[in-house]
Amino acid sequence: MTATATRVLVLNSGSSSVKYQLLDMNPDSGGGPAAGTRLAVGLVERIGEETSLLAHTPLATGGDKRETEGPIADHEAALKAVAAELSADGLGLDSPQLAAIGHRVVHGGLKFTAPTVIGDAVLAEIERLVPVAPLHNPANITGIRTAQALRPDLPQVAVFDTAFHTTMPEYAARYAIDVATADAHRIRRYGFHGTSHAYVSRKTAELLGKDPSEVNVIVLHLGNGASASAVAGGRCVDTSMGLTPLEGLVMGTRSGDIDPAVTFHLKRVAGMSEDDVDVLLNKKSGLVGLCGDNDMREIRRRIDEGDERAELAFDIYIHRLKKYIGAYTAVLGRVDAVAFTAGVGENAAPVRAAALAGLEEMGLAVDADLNAARSGEPRLISPEYARVAAAVVPTDEELEIAQQTYALVSA
Ligand code: ADP
């Protein structure tokens, strides 16, 4: 890496999409050492279809968003198209200013507790984890291979969704099932969204004017996927997702916690196949299963019109959230803040108000005006008298990946 190489390309490769951001981590580039200035952002959707879409915004040049529709056959073609867009703005991947490519990798098992420079052995290990992350790791691997082919000389770094949760104590991570069976098949609670939980818990400490080591935070990452975590002094001690991202909170399309016997029942009594049950619980459950909509804006609109199904779906969603706030208060013993983040957590004031309603005995309260105010900045929504702070803390997984990647390659 040359002294001038301060840019990091962040890639988040899904099964049919690639999201990317190019950031400049140079402290002189405008935003201070930890800021990371965004030079370009974009995404490729519907890879492998006739109607693939590449949307690219060149922030560095102040240019408008450019959208290109047309078939993009695979991840290699997608990344080449992204590289061409970046080149057109003078930000090409061949630039000596590019220091590294940081990849979001969903499952790092127990081995990867920190960001890791990707070599053959690392890639083999990510591949070995495919059975526990069949939907995500294969796409991440394809993204890595494609990026390696484009810039074989450049460090490629894997930042794992599971890494932040590897500090969970064994009694929180283990399921109470036969130990030999669990160990033989690596069945345990890994947790996901770790990059977001790490970033948001740190930012929450900053908002409180404290060092992360001094505060206990409950982070509620409420996007389409949703998870809660209990973070004690900067270390994750429990999280709601488990072996897969299906466990825990009610999500957009996933059931979250459920009696596993429901799955036996669906197979034995309802005659569903393994795959049917998988699709039901991951894609046709949660808010969408309960009321037909998974967008919280639409659900609130329907509630305002008196729609009872939407209201019940909302109540079930909130009830589960409350249970996790209570459980993690007990796990942490002392809570300094509850932080809401991601699409729903950052934008849906009624969700925040309902989740904390009636929890005054636990030191929690919401100030209606602060909760209703809109802002992209971390902010408190609790009144001054509240013993436990309630906060909205926008997440930024790409920035966190870029920072972790740059810290590793510039060390
Ligand atoms: P993911 O990354 O898991 O796809 P996001 O964190 O982007 O999800 O969250 C998407 C969800 O956020 C949407 O499904 C919608 O329910 C919710 N959302 C986004 N904007 C708003 C808003 N203004 N009000 C309420 N909910 C919102």
Side-chain angles (χ1 to χ4, degrees):
M1 198 179 90
T2 66
T4 53
T6 55
R7 292 178 187 166
V8 175
L9 177 70
V10 175
L11 288 181
N12 181 354
S13 306
S15 55
S16 67
S17 71
V18 177
K19 292 188 200 145
Y20 63 93
Q21 292 199 359
L22 181 67
L23 296 98
D24 196 338
M25 307 311 288
N26 180 356
D28 302 327
S29 68
T37 307
R38 257 165 263 253
L39 303 175
V41 304
L43 92 158
V44 188
E45 285 178 310
R46 301 192 290 274
I47 295 172
E49 295 179 32
E50 286 303 305
T51 58
S52 314
L53 178 74
L54 167 56
H56 175 84
T57 310
L59 300 169
T61 59
D64 290 333
K65 186 195 235 185
R66 299 195 292 268
E67 292 195 339
T68 324
E69 217 181 304
I72 295 179
D74 52 26
H75 282 73
E76 189 181 341
L79 208 53
K80 281 187 174 156
V82 170
E85 288 288 354
L86 288 167
S87 283
D89 301 317
L91 300 167
L93 295 190
D94 51 355
S95 165
Q97 284 169 278
L98 191 60
I101 300 181
H103 297 266
R104 175 191 184 206
V105 179
V106 167
H107 216 309
L110 288 182
K111 225 179 201 152
F112 298 115
T113 59
T116 307
V117 175
I118 304 167
D120 290 345
V122 171
L123 203 52
E125 182 61 25
I126 297 171
E127 205 139 26
R128 214 172 68 85
L129 289 161
V130 165
V132 283
L135 298 178
H136 294 103
N137 274 29
N140 301 154
I141 292 165
T142 307
I144 292 167
R145 289 230 164 88
T146 310
Q148 281 178 329
L150 278 179
R151 278 297 303 268
D153 56 314
L154 205 63
Q156 313 261 339
V157 174
V159 177
F160 300 93
D161 263 29
T162 45
F164 184 62
H165 303 305
T166 54
T167 53
M168 274 196 288
E170 196 65 7
Y171 55 76
R174 267 202 186 267
Y175 292 110
I177 64 170
D178 174 66
V179 169
T181 307
D183 288 351
H185 301 285
R186 288 179 286 175
I187 297 170
R188 59 186 287 121
R189 309 187 56 257
Y190 294 98
F192 299 89
H193 291 145
T195 308
S196 176
H197 287 284
Y199 178 84
V200 171
S201 56
R202 229 179 37 240
K203 280 274 164 190
T204 306
E206 208 175 279
L207 181 68
L208 300 180
K210 301 224 166 108
D211 190 79
S213 65
E214 299 171 322
V215 296
N216 291 348
V217 186
I218 296 173
V219 178
L220 303 171
H221 177 109
L222 311 178
N224 202 22
S227 63
S229 69
V231 184
R235 290 164 66 87
C236 176
V237 294
D238 207 349
T239 194
S240 61
M241 284 178 165
L243 173 73
T244 76
L246 184 55
E247 193 179 345
L249 299 173
V250 175
M251 312 184 207
T253 66
R254 297 184 203 131
S255 63
D257 295 336
I258 199 169
D259 180 345
V262 170
T263 62
F264 318 148
H265 191 85
L266 288 169
K267 282 188 264 180
R268 289 179 190 142
V269 179
M272 291 174 77
S273 71
E274 200 71 48
D275 286 348
D276 293 340
V277 176
D278 193 327
V279 169
L280 179 84
L281 296 182
N282 275 296
K283 303 241 163 79
K284 297 183 180 172
S285 295
L287 292 170
V288 104
L290 288 166
C291 75
D293 270 310
N294 61 340
D295 192 313
M296 195 51 82
R297 284 163 288 200
E298 187 57 19
I299 291 171
R300 290 304 310 174
R301 197 191 58 70
R302 284 173 55 187
I303 292 172
D304 288 343
E305 288 177 352
D307 185 322
E308 286 176 10
R309 262 180 74 199
E311 186 161 9
L312 180 59
F314 184 83
D315 290 347
I316 294 169
Y317 183 93
I318 297 296
H319 182 66
R320 185 81 52 85
L321 257 180
K322 276 200 158 132
K323 290 212 281 192
Y324 271 92
I325 294 169
Y328 287 174
T329 299
V331 164
L332 290 168
R334 186 202 82 230
V335 182
D336 297 291
V338 174
F340 291 85
T341 195
V344 175
E346 290 168 31
N347 296 298
V351 167
R352 299 191 296 257
L356 300 182
L359 303 187
E360 291 80 9
E361 287 290 328
M362 287 163 55
L364 282 156
V366 174
D367 178 294
D369 291 337
L370 292 177
N371 192 33
R374 294 194 64 85
S375 154
E377 294 298 312
R379 60 197 183 276
L380 292 175
I381 56 166
S382 44
E384 248 171 54
Y385 66 79
R387 192 156 38 81
V388 180
V392 179
V393 180
T395 192
D396 195 337
E397 287 159 285
E398 290 77 16
L399 177 61
E400 178 72 17
I401 291 172
Q403 284 174 350
Q404 292 194 13
T405 298
Y406 190 64
L408 191 63
V409 300
S410 61

